[in-house]
Every structure is written in structure tokens, then in C-alpha cells.
Amino acid sequence: MLLQFFTTISSIGVNYGMTADNLPAPSVVANFLKTQTIFDSVKLFDANPDVLRAFANTGISVSVTIGNGDIPGLTDTVTARRWVEQHISPFHPQTKIKYVLVGTEVLFSKNDDWINNLVPAMRSLHYALVKAGFPEIKVTTAHALNIFRRETIPSLMRFMIGYDQSFFAPILQFHQRTKSPFMVNPYPYFSPDLSKRLNYALFKPNSGVYDKYTRKTYTNMFDALMDSTYTAMKALGYGNVEIAIGETGWPTQGDASSPFASMENAISYNGHVVKEIVSGKGTPLLPNRTFETYMFALFNENQKPGPLVEKYWGMINPDFTPIYDVGVLRNGQLTPTPATPAPSSKNFCVPKLDVSNAQLQSNLDYACGQGGIDCTPIQPGGACYEPNTLRSHAAFAMNSYYRTKGQIYFSCDFAGTGQMTTLEPSYGDCRYL
């Protein structure tokens, strides 16, 4: 009943990226999302035909994305109609395609050819979809939130000078006319002064930001970003256009250049976002407003280029065990409440996220082979046997070894594959001592 209540009042989806070499087949992913999670929609970063086929008859909405480099060519209506014929017509409506995203964070690219042709391409694709008999499929594009003039209180926020009338006004006019959402990617993680406002970004206790013009107090950056977007839209005369969230999330791991990428921070941020979206709470300026939202991301992507942190935004392991659960699993927490971290005075030893199965097996064998280590809870019938996965069993064994060896830091090294955490990994009757 709780699950039905939450999923009917709001729509929450997830970004399904595939830049990895260890992911399960799309058909298996589709079945997992349908049967084991509250996600009712997925967003792809392409229009992969195998994925589109996999989601047929699942009831899960799918959004597809056109690459930035294809934008100029799609201003031609013949090309746009051909694209729809090749990428939409063979799959819809068996696969419920909801949005076609034309490019990603185009303004952020600073490529004038893409920027200048974005709105014409959106118009052309909308025309092509209508002509093909798919007026229900809407066209949009996702914007990074570096699109404002300066960082200030939400009531004064405006789109960048030089782009407000030439770029955003035509886009918003298109959305108003076609009844499609203006899509943004709010990422407090990328705030330029995150070290000074970490609690504000993570929904943790903080002094807040008072907007003297609206007399609203903001206790988290997410609400401030959404109200800033609304205010900038309203200033151009388009406050009635719907706002959707194309991406938002927090990474669980990084290197020395990413000190705030951690499991604990990801749980705090994503847990509060899920709770806020699913509850339909809205923001100070938009109370009870529901934002269609796509969390970033479903899986870690170990082949992503760039800094290490780019690989670690996922919430689910390839074996479908949760990296962490913030209320998106049907057989986990049904209410979207963030997990409560254990007191910082108590540490646990768990595997790092990128540890191979061979290393996990080696750690499991080594820990359980030591005298005084009790591994019976992860044997069949034991309290910690389920989930019956190598990662789960290895984590229990590694923590038991660490605890037995006096909780000394190097007892969690495991040849560089172990890491300390203050988050309580116990679940159900399975207790990590």
C-alpha cells in the first residue's frame, strides 16, 4: 500500500548509462526495474535499439537522446522524418517512448553550431513525430545549471545575458506551444564553493539562505536551484511551463581531487531527493509541485573517460544488489527514507566498489580461513546468506576479520581492496558486529 501511494503521486525515473563492460543484458535490466524498483521511467543517452526492444511491453517509459553532433543535420525536416522512421517507428508504442532529447547540455558545450541549431532541430523533430502519428512523444533538451547570470538568491535569478532572449526564450516558447517540459540537470555536487556549503548541499542541518524578497528560507541547495530555474523562466514570461529534472545525483567514490564523493554523502543527498520527489512536497516557491525526475544513475560505468569520480554515480551493482538503498527498491525500504549512518566512532570494513570478483573471492577465502573468524552466518541457512552474492559474503567476511584483528586500520587493507566506512551495513537479522 505504501508503495502504491508513493508511486502514484509522483514519477521518478533513472538514467541508464551503458559506458561499462560489466553490465547485464538490457532485457534483464528491464525486468529488474519493473519488478524490483519504484522507477517507472528510464532515460537513455542514445537510442540503442537493443535497449528499446528490451523495454517493450514493460509499461516503463523510455526517453531517448540524440547526440549533440547530430543537431545541425536534424534541422532539415526530411532528415528528421528519416530519424523518426528509423529510431522511433519500429519500437513505439510497444516500447512506451516518452521524450526525445535533442542533445545534452548544449549551451555548456560552447559550440555555436549546436547552440544556434538546437531550437530549429527541436521544431523539426516535433514536426516529424506529429507527421509520423506520435504527437504524444514530446521533444525537449536537458540544460546544465550554469545558465544563470550569477549566483544569488532564487528570487533574483535570471538567465545569462546574451542567451536569455536569443536562446532560452525561443526554447521556452517551444515548450509552451508543444506542452513539453523544460529539463534541467541540478547538481549541487558541482557547486563551485561546495566545501563551504556541504551541509546545505546534502540536506544536513545548516543556517539556510534567506530570500528577503520572497521571505522564504532555503535549507538545501536543491530547492534553491529549482526555484531559481522557475524564477528565471517566469521573468521571461514562461512560468507556466513544466520543469523536469533530467539528471541529479551524487558520486560514491573518487580520488584526492574529489574529497566529497563518498557513500555517506551519496546516501544523504540522493535519499533526501528521492524522499522529496516521491512525497510531492515541492519547493518554497512551488509548494506541492511534482517534478518528473531521473536519478543519476542506475549503474557505475567503469569505462567512462575523465576523472575517477565519473565512474561512480551508480546506485545498483551489476548483480542487482544495491550499492546503497534510498527507498527505490521494492523489497527494501518501501518508504523513501535515507539510511541512517552509524555513529562515526564505529567503523566497518567493506570492499571498494571496483573490486573484481576474483579479488572478492580471494578476500572471502582468506578471511574465513583464519582462526577465530566465524563465517557460518554466510553459509546456507545463515542470517547473512541472502543476498547470495560474492560481494555481500566477502563484505561480511572482511568485516569479521577486521573486527577480530582488533579493528586496526591495516586489518582492512586486503591488498588495497578494502575500505573503511562509518555506515552501518547490517540489514534484517544480519548483524555486522
Side-chain angles (χ1 to χ4, degrees):
M1 289 176 64
L2 275 172
L3 183 64
Q4 281 187 326
F5 171 73
F6 282 120
T7 54
T8 53
I9 64 169
S10 187
S11 174
I12 191 160
V14 67
N15 284 274
Y16 178 14
M18 302 179 69
T19 312
D21 62 5
N22 61 346
L23 300 184
S27 59
V28 183
V29 174
N31 183 63
F32 167 75
L33 291 174
K34 178 181 179 180
T35 61
Q36 302 297 322
T37 78
I38 67 170
F39 294 126
D40 61 5
S41 50
V42 297
K43 184 160 76 67
L44 310 179
F45 292 93
D46 53 22
N48 187 317
D50 293 333
V51 179
L52 290 174
R53 276 190 287 269
F55 279 89
N57 304 309
T58 61
I60 295 174
S61 298
V62 180
S63 296
V64 299
T65 303
I66 295 170
N68 289 351
D70 293 330
I71 291 172
L74 288 167
T75 59
D76 175 63
T77 55
V78 174
T79 303
R81 294 188 72 171
R82 189 179 304 124
W83 188 92
V84 169
E85 183 180 319
Q86 293 174 352
H87 296 92
I88 302 297
S89 297
F91 309 104
H92 185 80
Q94 291 80 9
T95 298
K96 191 165 66 172
I97 299 174
K98 187 169 188 178
Y99 298 124
V100 173
L101 279 78
V102 184
T104 300
E105 300 184 346
V106 173
L107 194 60
F108 187 67
S109 73
K110 296 181 168 51
N111 184 310
D112 288 340
D113 199 25
W114 300 347
I115 293 169
N116 295 334
N117 284 294
L118 178 60
V119 175
M122 292 171 71
R123 290 172 181 152
S124 183
L125 277 159
H126 172 70
Y127 170 82
L129 287 164
V130 172
K131 283 294 183 182
F134 307 132
E136 69 278 10
I137 300 177
K138 302 300 181 181
V139 175
T140 186
T141 186
H143 306 274
L145 282 186
N146 60 341
I147 55 180
F148 303 121
R149 294 184 191 179
R150 66 185 188 279
E151 181 128 354
T152 181
I153 53 178
S155 63
L156 297 180
M157 201 65 77
R158 300 292 184 271
F159 291 120
M160 289 188 296
I161 294 174
Y163 291 100
D164 49 357
Q165 295 296 335
S166 65
F167 182 77
F168 287 107
I171 285 177
L172 289 165
Q173 183 183 48
F174 170 84
H175 288 313
Q176 188 179 66
R177 181 174 63 85
T178 62
K179 296 181 173 56
S180 53
F182 182 73
M183 188 172 282
V184 294
N185 296 341
Y187 276 111
Y189 175 78
F190 291 116
S191 173
D193 57 352
L194 185 59
S195 61
K196 300 175 183 177
R197 305 199 296 170
L198 185 60
N199 282 358
Y200 184 57
L202 292 173
F203 293 79
K204 291 184 176 181
N206 63 89
S207 57
V209 174
Y210 180 68
D211 190 329
K212 63 181 179 181
Y213 297 103
T214 58
R215 298 182 180 179
K216 304 291 185 183
T217 297
Y218 291 86
T219 58
N220 66 80
M221 197 181 298
F222 177 82
D223 282 352
L225 288 171
M226 298 311 295
D227 277 358
S228 295
T229 302
Y230 167 71
T231 300
M233 294 166 61
K234 187 178 179 183
L236 291 179
Y238 297 98
N240 62 336
V241 171
E242 286 294 321
I243 303 172
I245 298 170
E247 299 174 27
T248 193
W250 199 284
T252 55
Q253 188 175 329
D255 52 25
S257 66
S258 313
F260 304 116
S262 72
M263 187 82 74
E264 190 170 349
N265 289 347
I267 288 173
S268 182
Y269 177 77
N270 286 338
H272 281 92
V273 169
V274 169
K275 183 178 181 181
E276 183 162 316
I277 295 302
V278 177
S279 70
K281 170 178 154 294
T283 65
L285 287 184
L286 300 167
N288 305 314
R289 176 81 165 260
T290 297
F291 300 105
E292 185 175 359
T293 300
Y294 295 84
M295 300 301 296
F296 190 87
L298 183 57
F299 298 117
N300 287 330
E301 296 178 79
N302 64 7
Q303 300 294 301
K304 262 197 168 181
L308 182 68
V309 70
E310 289 297 323
K311 305 177 192 297
Y312 293 105
W313 292 77
M315 294 186 285
I316 303 294
N317 287 305
D319 65 358
F320 299 118
T321 58
I323 296 173
Y324 56 90
D325 183 13
V326 288
V328 300
L329 296 177
R330 289 175 184 259
N331 59 355
Q333 298 168 256
L334 294 187
T335 52
T337 304
T340 303
S344 59
S345 60
K346 189 173 183 180
N347 291 312
F348 300 88
C349 177
V350 296
K352 290 181 178 176
L353 297 177
D354 57 351
V355 178
S356 68
N357 284 342
Q359 290 170 312
L360 290 172
Q361 187 65 59
S362 176
N363 294 350
L364 176 61
D365 294 342
Y366 176 78
C368 290
Q370 302 299 304
I373 310 297
D374 181 14
C375 287
T376 55
I378 54 175
Q379 301 301 314
C384 302
Y385 180 68
E386 295 292 347
N388 181 19
T389 66
L390 187 54
R391 173 172 286 275
S392 179
H393 290 179
F396 181 88
M398 290 166 66
N399 186 71
S400 297
Y401 177 88
Y402 163 74
R403 194 73 67 212
T404 302
K405 297 302 179 182
Q407 304 179 52
I408 302 168
Y409 183 81
F410 56 76
S411 297
C412 186
D413 182 65
F414 289 94
T417 65
Q419 65 179 353
M420 306 297 298
T421 179
T422 59
L423 300 178
E424 169 71 72
S426 300
Y427 58 91
D429 295 328
C430 177
R431 309 309 300 169
Y432 279 58
L433 301 176

